[in-house]
């Protein structure tokens, strides 16, 4: 901070005064010092007017100089007040940013502790792997049972012996029961998928909270880079099973039209 300008009225009336002390490593007047100077100037003016006698011209010059110094001091005081107001506004903004950063760190810490650590991700991967394995096993069992039923039904139509017909009928019934048993996989699969969905919803919730902290979805969209499909060849054409409302998939009618 620059050294405060010495008022001329102080030099004329009060004389030389010591320089202000260092405050926090910088030199500069504060509000109390300015007000003390203004009071001292007013007191000296009143004293000069009482004891001046015939020195009217000198007193007028002193008054004019003092008024000018007072105006300068008031302008300096207003400048300080404006700077303080700006600092207060800046502090409010910095506090908001600090709070947003702390809240975001808390959300990230929660995600890391309950979702993104190795143990939780291993559970999710294990559940999805079990879903795939269970589905494959049930499909294989159903296909084998269906094939056995088909063979038994064909043989049943060709035999005349009652005993042979009974054996084939019992085999068909066993295979039907096997199909029912294999269909139970959907219950276990549903439970496993629900566990994965719970974890995904937990992650989604905390991501949405972090987005709200920084202005919401609309504010985040402004920073999203454009999505570029870098796949090549057949991979560029494979988009998986079509869900309701999805675009970019060929319908069955489109496929049938290729063979017409």
């Amino acid at each position: 901070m620059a050294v405060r300008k010495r008022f001329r009225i102080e030099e004329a009336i009060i004389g030389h005064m010591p320089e202000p002390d260092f405050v926090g490593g910088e030199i500069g007047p504060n509000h109390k010092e300015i007000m003390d100077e203004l009071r001292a100037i007013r007191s000296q003016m009143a004293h000069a007017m009482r004891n001046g006698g015939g020195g009217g011209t000198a007193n007028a010059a002193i008054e004019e100089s003092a008024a000018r110094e007072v105006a300068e001091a008031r302008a300096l005081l207003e400048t300080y007040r404006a700077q303080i107001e700006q600092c207060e506004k800046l502090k409010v903004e910095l506090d908001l940013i600090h709070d947003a950063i702390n809240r975001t760190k808390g959300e990230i810490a929660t995600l890391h502790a309950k979702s993104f650590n190795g143990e939780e991700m291993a559970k999710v991967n294990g559940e999805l792997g079990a879903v795939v394995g269970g589905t494959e096993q049930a499909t294989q069992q159903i296909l084998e049972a269906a094939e056995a039923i088909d063979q038994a039904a064909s043989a049943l139509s060709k035999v005349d012996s009652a005993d042979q017909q009974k054996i084939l009928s019992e085999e068909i019934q066993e295979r039907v029961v096997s199909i029912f048993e294999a269909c139970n996989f959907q219950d276990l699969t549903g439970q496993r998928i629900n566990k994965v969905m719970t974890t995904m919803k937990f992650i989604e919730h905390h991501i949405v909270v972090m987005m709200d902290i920084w202005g919401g979805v609309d504010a985040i969209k402004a920073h999203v880079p454009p999505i570029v499909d870098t796949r090549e060849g057949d991979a560029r054409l494979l988009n998986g099973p079509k869900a309701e409302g999805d675009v970019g998939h060929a319908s069955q009618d489109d496929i049938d039209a290729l063979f017409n």
Side-chain angles (χ1 to χ4, degrees), residues 182-221:
C183 288
N184 288 332
F185 84 96
Q186 57 85 26
D187 183 41
L188 295 177
T189 298
Q191 296 179 30
R192 296 183 188 279
I193 292 178
N194 282 334
K195 290 181 181 180
V196 175
M197 290 180 63
T198 300
T199 302
M200 294 298 104
K201 288 179 180 179
F202 177 82
I203 295 173
E204 179 186 15
H205 168 72
H206 287 279
I207 290 177
V208 170
V209 171
M210 284 189 285
M211 293 172 67
D212 290 338
I213 290 173
W214 295 103
V217 177
D218 294 336
I220 299 298
K221 285 182 179 179

Side-chain angles (χ1 to χ4, degrees), residues 13-35:
I13 299 176
I14 304 175
H16 178 72
M17 294 182 65
E19 294 295 331
D21 293 334
F22 281 84
V23 178
E26 296 181 350
I27 300 177
N30 56 28
H31 177 72
K32 183 177 183 303
E33 292 173 342
I34 292 175
M35 298 307 297

Side-chain angles (χ1 to χ4, degrees), residues 20-230:
D21 293 334
F22 281 84
V23 178
E26 296 181 350
I27 300 177
N30 56 28
H31 177 72
K32 183 177 183 303
E33 292 173 342
I34 292 175
M35 298 307 297
D36 290 341
E37 290 180 358
L38 293 176
R39 294 189 187 95
I41 292 171
R42 184 171 58 185
S43 176
Q44 292 296 333
M45 288 174 57
H47 179 72
M49 293 180 65
R50 288 195 302 268
N51 301 329
T57 302
N59 288 338
I62 291 174
E63 291 177 3
E64 180 181 357
S65 177
R68 187 163 53 251
E69 299 290 353
V70 169
E72 292 178 358
R74 287 177 177 174
L76 182 62
L77 182 59
E78 291 299 324
T79 301
Y80 287 155
R81 287 176 177 171
Q83 292 176 351
I84 291 174
E85 291 178 358
Q86 292 296 326
C87 290
E88 290 176 348
K89 292 179 180 179
L90 179 60
K91 184 180 182 301
V92 171
E93 296 295 333
L94 292 176
D95 288 341
L96 291 175
I97 294 174
H98 182 267
D99 179 65
I101 292 174
N102 281 339
R103 291 167 60 192
T104 303
K105 288 168 62 178
E107 296 296 331
I108 293 175
T110 301
L111 287 174
H112 176 74
K114 296 186 178 181
S115 297
F116 288 155
N117 59 6
E119 182 179 355
E120 190 66 24
M121 284 296 100
K123 288 181 180 179
V124 171
N125 292 332
E127 295 292 347
L128 292 176
V131 168
V132 174
T135 303
E136 291 178 351
Q137 182 179 358
T139 302
Q140 184 67 24
Q141 184 175 344
I142 292 172
L143 291 176
E144 290 176 355
E147 184 178 2
I149 290 173
D150 181 64
Q151 293 175 356
S154 298
L156 183 63
S157 64
K158 297 178 182 179
V159 298
D160 296 329
S161 171
D163 292 338
Q164 289 293 330
Q165 291 178 352
K166 181 179 179 182
I167 292 173
L168 291 173
S169 298
E170 291 176 351
E171 183 179 354
I172 290 174
Q173 291 176 348
E174 290 178 1
R175 295 296 182 175
V176 170
V177 172
S178 176
I179 291 175
F180 288 148
E181 291 176 350
C183 288
N184 288 332
F185 84 96
Q186 57 85 26
D187 183 41
L188 295 177
T189 298
Q191 296 179 30
R192 296 183 188 279
I193 292 178
N194 282 334
K195 290 181 181 180
V196 175
M197 290 180 63
T198 300
T199 302
M200 294 298 104
K201 288 179 180 179
F202 177 82
I203 295 173
E204 179 186 15
H205 168 72
H206 287 279
I207 290 177
V208 170
V209 171
M210 284 189 285
M211 293 172 67
D212 290 338
I213 290 173
W214 295 103
V217 177
D218 294 336
I220 299 298
K221 285 182 179 179
H223 302 279
V224 176
I227 299 176
V228 179
D229 191 353
T230 59

